[in-house]
Amino acid sequence: MRENRTVNGLFDAIRMGDRAALSGAITLLESTREEDQVIARDLIRWCLPFSGNSLRIGITGVPGVGKSSFIEKFGQTILTTRKKVAVLAIDPTSERTGGSILGDKTRMETLSQNKNVFIRPSAAGNTLGGVARKTRETIILCEAAGFDVLLIETVGVGQSEIMVHSMVDFFLLLLLAGAGDELQGIKRGIMEMADGLAVTKSDGDNINKAKLASRELKNAIHLFPPTSNGWIPEVKTCSSIENRDIDVVWEMIERFERHTKLNGSFDSKRKHQDLNWMHETLKDLLLQGLWHQEKTKAFIEAKEEEVGRGDTSAFEAAEEIYRLYRNVK
């Protein structure tokens, strides 16, 4: 990539669908080196007019629900419609070990070998907001590279779901039948964000449990507030092992796309997300300026000691840091 790291060279290669160039460009996005960031910012600006034409699908579910197995079969189903698929994974667990996402490519063996598929994991470590920003920019690059469907997978359940929900058109929640009441609190919050639900592992002895769970979920959905786009979330059952009814989930998402594009809510949501991305990026930049400026950095450290000793309150210390930052700026 070193010999082709000019904006023009990368842009041309990405527009031609070069997956190696796309991967190298994303590496530049994730780099902390200023020279790489300059190239990445220019590249995003060049690619922006060629983005926005994909269908962005967020996929989430508790560990063990079979997200990777589902995406492996789901991606293959989408490929039959002659669409190019990009899979992006957000892992908020471990930057040092890579968490569980580094195994996704091996678990998606057939999908990853297809020339019309691009799979990219991203470890967030302790900076979920930062990785979310990079994922948003990666979306622009993937769309400029001609990928028609973007599957954005979350690993685990938590803040990452909220971040992913803010950058996709359709939010799919995968659920297990008979997972236990201890998961109900988690599911309730995420279920209200979901545009569609799929009960996985509906095979063998688990088929009847999956059907029962599906009926219960359908009843629960009617208790939620109505959606602003007029779409009523649907519940499906499927099996990745038997490759059964995966196409039914895709058909549900296609209906959602037609419905929201027809009533204008699809474009309206995209515009709202763009504004949200701008606000979140601005927050990131302000925080970076606060923490990396030498004078404020030393002042923050001093205030941390004062708060630790109990000499001042956390609120008063924060206000003093903010006042100093404003004066320095």
Side-chain angles (χ1 to χ4, degrees):
M1 286 299 299
R2 287 284 172 185
E3 66 276 8
N4 193 33
R5 284 171 64 120
T6 65
V7 176
N8 187 64
L10 279 173
F11 174 74
D12 289 343
I14 288 172
R15 288 294 293 149
M16 291 176 62
D18 187 324
R19 291 186 297 179
L22 177 58
S23 182
I26 295 171
T27 299
L28 288 177
L29 284 178
E30 296 172 346
S31 172
T32 56
R33 297 175 57 182
E34 182 58 33
E35 61 186 88
D36 291 342
Q37 285 297 302
V38 170
I39 297 174
R41 282 194 294 269
D42 288 342
L43 189 58
I44 290 294
R45 188 159 48 245
W46 283 39
C47 289
L48 188 60
F50 301 93
S51 67
N53 297 318
S54 77
L55 177 62
R56 306 165 184 170
I57 303 171
I59 299 177
T60 190
V62 296
V65 76
K67 289 188 291 292
S68 296
S69 299
F70 173 82
I71 292 174
E72 165 83 343
K73 299 299 183 182
F74 188 56
Q76 292 176 45
T77 298
I78 298 172
L79 288 172
T80 62
T81 64
R82 298 186 179 181
K83 295 181 183 295
K84 295 177 65 178
V85 179
V87 181
L88 310 176
I90 294 181
D91 180 12
T93 54
S94 172
E95 195 168 49
R96 180 173 62 84
T97 64
S100 57
I101 57 170
L102 299 183
D104 277 358
K105 255 188 172 178
T106 57
R107 290 197 295 270
M108 302 176 193
E109 185 176 358
T110 303
L111 194 63
S112 63
Q113 293 176 359
N114 192 295
K115 65 179 182 179
N116 290 319
V117 175
F118 177 78
I119 300 176
R120 178 75 179 204
S122 298
N126 296 321
T127 55
L128 186 58
V131 81
R133 176 185 172 186
K134 301 308 179 188
T135 302
R136 290 163 178 159
E137 293 172 333
T138 299
I139 287 173
I140 294 173
L141 295 181
C142 288
E143 290 175 341
F147 287 94
D148 307 292
V149 179
L150 306 186
L151 305 180
I152 305 174
E153 175 193 4
T154 71
V155 178
V157 176
Q159 182 66 18
S160 59
E161 273 63 34
I162 298 173
M163 300 304 294
V164 170
H165 182 263
S166 72
M167 63 179 81
V168 299
D169 306 310
F170 186 97
F171 195 62
L172 176 65
L173 174 60
L174 303 182
L175 294 165
L176 278 171
D181 293 338
E182 69 276 4
L183 297 178
Q184 295 304 316
I186 295 175
K187 288 192 287 188
R188 171 64 195 244
I190 299 174
M191 279 175 61
E192 291 180 347
M193 294 191 295
D195 299 299
L197 300 89
V199 180
T200 62
K201 302 184 180 181
S202 177
D203 45 53
D205 296 335
N206 209 38
I207 291 180
N208 290 333
K209 289 182 180 178
K211 289 181 178 178
L212 176 61
S214 175
R215 288 196 295 270
E216 292 177 346
L217 288 167
K218 288 176 182 177
N219 292 333
I221 283 175
H222 292 293
L223 301 177
F224 296 159
T227 59
S228 59
N229 58 19
W231 169 263
I232 299 175
E234 299 180 9
V235 182
K236 306 297 178 185
T237 60
C238 63
S239 169
S240 301
I241 293 177
E242 298 180 357
N243 197 18
R244 189 177 67 251
D245 291 336
I246 302 294
D247 58 333
V248 172
V249 178
W250 173 239
E251 289 167 1
M252 169 182 65
I253 296 175
E254 287 185 311
R255 284 196 300 277
F256 170 88
E257 184 182 17
R258 289 192 297 269
H259 172 86
T260 53
K261 284 186 174 180
L262 188 63
N263 66 20
S265 59
F266 187 95
D267 290 335
S268 177
K269 183 178 181 180
R270 282 277 182 98
K271 291 176 182 178
H272 177 76
Q273 287 178 340
D274 286 343
L275 291 175
N276 181 60
W277 292 9
M278 183 190 75
H279 294 154
E280 291 300 319
T281 302
L282 180 59
K283 291 177 186 177
D284 288 342
L285 292 173
L286 289 172
L287 283 174
Q288 287 177 28
L290 175 65
W291 285 105
H292 292 99
Q293 194 173 85
E294 201 60 41
K295 188 173 181 180
T296 54
K297 184 178 180 181
F299 190 71
I300 289 172
E301 291 173 355
K303 287 300 169 183
E304 286 175 340
E305 293 181 4
E306 289 182 20
V307 172
R309 293 193 304 265
D311 294 341
T312 187
S313 71
F315 308 105
E316 184 178 358
E319 289 175 356
E320 290 181 23
I321 292 169
Y322 175 67
R323 284 197 294 270
L324 175 67
Y325 179 63
R326 286 188 61 182
N327 292 333
V328 171
K329 297 303 285 183

